[in-house]
């Protein structure tokens, strides 16, 4: 991969916001801890509110000290020296004037917009107006890029008028997760799986992203988006792409992204009839999660709303490799447990040679990739139950496990924040793990089709109790094809 000169300055817009404080600044600190930040790399927090540099540094320190990893004073001394703060209105060039002194000497600045996507276009125009959007600068955008295809195009056009595509880094933090990258390694660094990775051997795929948290005070954002736009359009489709894509010829950004976009374009659009059969929208009512009472979404929202907090659907990929292999996707808030998992269910053996009780023991192989809460990859294989069993041979399904926690645990081992990898990649100018414009738009095109079909079919949400696995329809959806969710 061609070496791109590393960025030397990060301007973090939205520096006092939740994402910056919980994820981005800690990620930068850990990158510094591990010696990954370039020498002289500076970080300027920017937000509308007036705050002194000292107050900002104190805020960052308090956040870091509150984390379970604790604060290393030597690293903190180095890290805090990189920090600065400026009050700025990023939506117009005049409002950015206060940033000018901080830009002095920066050859390759990167701008991170931890802001509402509705501001992306204006901020880019303002950056250009202020003279900060140079040929060597980079821009980082958080999801969601728009709310549908049309609004995402509007954002992409305004950002693209200022920054070339290879300088735009659209973040999907799922691509920074260790196990997601490991999926690429598993598929393309082993000869074992590729010959089996198709409709001859695979029965179906399940992707589950279940969260125990509710929407809480994020409802003003969430109510506009719902589970389909908040999780499925981006994180879940990215996971689906990595499972389903053809082997790229190398890890160059465009090689990987060309393959992902082909998958997105092969997703079968929903008709009104199919959407009623093959998708379910749910919204949580009051219930109990992890032994604690949880309020209904409507209560948090303050009034009735048709926004879905759960979605399950069957996706079909119309190409040679995947014809006839359904991908069942489900995601929801206030589920009984936190679980992010991809399961590849293989077909049963074509003929069983085992008679007697062993014939009942026989289950098909399964590859389970756990992303959260634990990172693990397990291949379930049949083997003979040990010893002598009455009535003849017995079989059992046992996992071959690549437990990442166990394999890599040891002094100093810690679970990385997904943003660490991604921030480092922006610094280094490597966009392989970022989402290209045509990918975002292909994902929206498919998702818009679902929204349209829901509307045409008049499909409102079905209630489910907080702490359950979603509405009954989610079970019927998968059972209709004689399969079941892995619970
Ligand atoms: C975000 C969504 O992109 O991802 C949130 O907006 C969701 O609603 C979060 O909770 C889940 O991320 P993770 O890494 O905790 O699975």
């Amino acid at each position: 991969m061609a070496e791109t000169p590393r960025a030397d300055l990060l301007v973090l817009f939205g520096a006092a916001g939740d994402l910056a404080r919980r994820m981005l600044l800690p990620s930068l600190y850990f990158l510094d801890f591990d010696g990954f930040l370039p020498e002289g790399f500076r970080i300027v927090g920017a937000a509308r509110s007036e705050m002194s540099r000292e107050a900002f540094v104190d805020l960052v320190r308090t956040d870091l000290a509150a984390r379970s990893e604790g604060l290393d004073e030597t690293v903190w001394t180095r890290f805090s020296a990189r920090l600065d703060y400026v009050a700025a209105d990023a939506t117009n060039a005049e409002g950015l004037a206060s940033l000018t002194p901080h830009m002095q000497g920066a050859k390759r600045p990167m701008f991170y917009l931890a802001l509402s996507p509705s501001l992306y276009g204006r901020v880019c125009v303002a950056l250009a107006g202020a003279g900060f959007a140079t040929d060597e600068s980079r821009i980082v955008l958080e999801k969601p890029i728009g709310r549908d295809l049309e609004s995402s195009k509007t954002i992409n056009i305004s950002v693209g008028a200022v920054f070339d595509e290879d300088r735009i880094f659209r973040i999907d933090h799922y691509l920074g997760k260790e196990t997601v990258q490991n999926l690429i390694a598993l598929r393309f660094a082993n000869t074992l799986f590729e010959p089996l990775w198709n409709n001859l051997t695979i029965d179906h795929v399940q992707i589950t992203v279940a969260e125990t948290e509710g929407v809480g005070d994020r409802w003003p954002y969430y109510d506009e988006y719902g589970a389909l736009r908040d999780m499925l359009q981006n994180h879940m489709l990215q996971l689906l792409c990595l499972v389903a894509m053809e082997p790229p010829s190398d890890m160059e950004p465009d090689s990987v992204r060309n393959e992902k976009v082909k998958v997105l374009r092969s997703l079968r659009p929903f008709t009104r009839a199919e959407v009623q059969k093959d998708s379910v929208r749910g919204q949580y009512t009051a219930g109990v999660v992890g032994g604690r009472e949880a309020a209904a979404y409507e209560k948090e929202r303050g009034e009735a709303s048709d926004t879905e907090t759960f979605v399950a659907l069957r996706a079909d990929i119309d190409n040679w490799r995947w014809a006839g292999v359904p991908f069942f996707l489900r995601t929801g808030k206030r589920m009984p447990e936190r679980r992010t998992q991809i399961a590849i269910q293989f077909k049963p053996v074509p003929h069983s040679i085992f008679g007697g009780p062993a014939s009942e023991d026989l289950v098909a192989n399964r590859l389970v990739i756990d992303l959260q809460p634990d990172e693990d990859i397990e291949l379930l294989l049949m083997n003979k139950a040990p010893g002598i069993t009455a009535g003849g041979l017995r079989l059992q399904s046992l996992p071959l496990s690549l437990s990442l926690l166990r394999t890599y645990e040891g002094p100093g081992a810690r679970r990385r924040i997904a943003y660490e990898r991604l921030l480092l990649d922006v610094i280094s100018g490597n966009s392989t793990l970022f989402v290209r414009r045509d990918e975002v738009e292909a994902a929206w095109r498919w998702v818009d089709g679902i929204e349209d079909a829901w509307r045409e079919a008049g499909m409102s949400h079905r209630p489910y109790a907080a702490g359950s696995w979603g509405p009954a329809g989610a079970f019927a959806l998968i059972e209709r094809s004689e399969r079941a969710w892995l619970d």
Side-chain angles (χ1 to χ4, degrees):
M1 194 166 306
E3 272 288 300
T4 316
R6 302 211 285 173
D8 50 10
L9 169 74
L10 163 66
V11 181
L12 176 53
F13 291 106
D18 184 62
L19 180 73
R21 292 180 57 186
R22 264 189 328 112
M23 299 288 173
L24 305 178
L25 289 158
S27 295
L28 290 160
Y29 165 82
F30 289 123
L31 285 176
D32 207 0
F33 185 98
D34 289 329
F36 287 128
L37 287 190
E39 216 181 302
F41 185 81
R42 293 181 293 125
I43 301 163
V44 180
R48 274 174 191 268
S49 46
E50 290 294 338
M51 191 178 354
S52 66
R53 175 184 182 273
E54 290 64 38
F56 179 62
V57 171
D58 275 354
L59 193 72
V60 178
R61 186 185 164 95
T62 310
D63 290 342
L64 289 173
R67 296 182 64 93
S68 58
E69 296 92 344
L71 193 68
D72 180 298
E73 289 299 340
T74 315
V75 180
W76 170 250
T77 307
R78 185 169 70 227
F79 182 69
S80 56
R82 300 178 186 276
L83 296 175
D84 214 332
Y85 180 84
V86 64
D89 175 1
T91 58
N92 59 75
E94 300 74 55
L96 283 176
S98 54
L99 196 57
T100 307
H102 301 271
M103 300 293 297
Q104 301 302 323
K107 290 201 186 67
R108 285 172 299 277
M110 52 190 258
F111 303 100
Y112 198 121
L113 309 194
L115 303 171
S116 160
S118 59
L119 300 176
Y120 290 170
R122 277 160 69 192
V123 174
C124 288
V125 172
L127 286 169
F132 299 153
T134 58
D135 283 351
E136 300 241 49
S137 57
R138 295 159 202 182
I139 185 105
V140 191
L141 308 176
E142 264 296 325
K143 68 149 265 267
I145 310 287
R147 199 182 163 272
D148 51 23
L149 179 60
E150 206 185 311
S151 52
S152 84
K153 277 188 174 167
T154 307
I155 294 174
N156 283 327
I157 289 169
S158 347
V159 176
V162 177
F163 293 93
D164 291 340
E165 181 63 29
D166 61 355
R167 291 189 292 117
I168 305 173
F169 293 78
R170 297 181 192 83
I171 286 222
D172 184 310
H173 78 275
Y174 267 51
L175 294 178
K177 289 186 192 270
E178 191 71 10
T179 335
V180 174
Q181 292 165 59
N182 208 1
L183 177 59
I184 302 179
L186 190 80
R187 283 197 62 197
F188 305 122
N190 294 295
T191 48
L192 202 63
F193 293 110
E194 180 51 26
L196 307 177
W197 212 257
N198 56 48
N199 53 7
L200 299 178
T201 325
I202 293 178
D203 177 75
H204 74 278
V205 176
Q206 293 188 18
I207 304 180
T208 295
V209 181
E211 299 178 275
T212 51
E213 297 294 306
V215 175
D217 52 16
R218 277 181 82 216
W219 70 260
Y221 152 78
Y222 195 89
D223 206 54
E224 275 277 295
Y225 286 79
L228 181 71
R229 294 184 170 101
D230 181 52
M231 294 296 288
L232 201 132
Q233 187 271 345
N234 35 77
H235 305 323
M236 297 190 80
L237 285 187
Q238 286 295 324
L239 297 182
L240 177 143
C241 283
L242 294 179
V243 172
M245 72 181 183
E246 294 301 312
S249 51
D250 51 41
M251 280 291 281
E252 286 293 327
D254 280 340
S255 309
V256 174
R257 300 187 300 180
N258 287 345
E259 297 308 334
K260 287 198 289 167
V261 84
K262 281 187 215 161
V263 175
L264 293 167
R265 289 185 182 146
S266 309
L267 284 167
R268 187 183 304 161
F270 279 87
T271 62
R272 187 161 81 177
E274 280 160 359
V275 88
Q276 285 171 291
K277 185 165 58 75
D278 289 334
S279 77
V280 173
R281 310 176 63 219
Q283 188 187 93
Y284 58 83
T285 55
V288 177
V289 185
R292 292 167 64 172
E293 294 204 356
Y297 176 70
E298 275 191 14
K299 185 91 184 290
E300 292 170 342
R301 166 79 181 82
E303 59 182 69
S305 146
D306 189 35
T307 299
E308 78 283 347
T309 59
F310 174 94
V311 63
L313 56 82
R314 170 190 167 135
D316 283 276
I317 301 173
D318 286 333
N319 64 20
W320 272 47
R321 188 187 284 265
W322 296 112
V325 181
F327 282 62
F328 295 101
L329 313 186
R330 63 174 171 170
T331 182
K333 305 271 184 204
R334 288 282 188 235
M335 301 272 100
E337 61 182 71
R338 175 156 169 79
R339 187 198 302 172
T340 307
Q341 186 181 70
I342 302 171
I344 316 289
Q345 179 64 58
F346 291 93
K347 292 189 174 174
V349 292
H351 164 74
S352 169
I353 63 164
F354 303 99
S359 63
E360 285 152 35
D361 299 332
L362 203 58
V363 291
N365 301 132
R366 186 187 301 145
L367 178 68
V368 181
I369 300 158
D370 280 312
L371 280 72
Q372 285 164 162
D374 295 329
E375 297 178 343
D376 197 4
I377 299 180
E378 280 190 353
L379 180 61
L380 288 161
L381 296 174
M382 291 309 294
N383 75 319
K384 179 193 160 297
I388 302 174
T389 40
L393 183 112
R394 300 290 317 232
L395 300 171
Q396 63 183 10
S397 172
L398 282 182
L400 270 183
S401 167
L402 286 179
S403 172
L404 301 174
L405 271 185
R406 258 178 279 138
T407 312
Y408 295 107
E409 80 189 1
R414 84 183 157 80
R415 199 157 167 186
R416 287 192 180 278
I417 306 173
Y419 283 93
E420 292 177 49
R421 161 87 271 154
L422 299 174
L423 281 164
L424 188 57
D425 282 353
V426 184
I427 293 172
S428 318
N430 177 1
S431 48
T432 302
L433 295 176
F434 295 82
V435 187
R436 207 169 55 188
R437 173 176 175 172
D438 52 353
E439 274 182 81
V440 181
E441 295 182 358
W444 275 125
R445 195 165 288 117
W446 188 68
V447 163
D448 279 2
I450 300 174
E451 279 283 350
D452 291 347
W454 278 349
R455 206 174 23 254
E456 282 171 30
M459 266 178 69
S460 59
H461 70 264
R462 297 270 175 262
Y464 65 95
S468 71
W469 281 104
F475 295 91
L477 178 155
I478 190 165
E479 281 160 11
R480 214 168 283 129
S481 66
E482 295 181 5
R483 290 149 175 136
W485 296 111
L486 300 175
D487 284 335

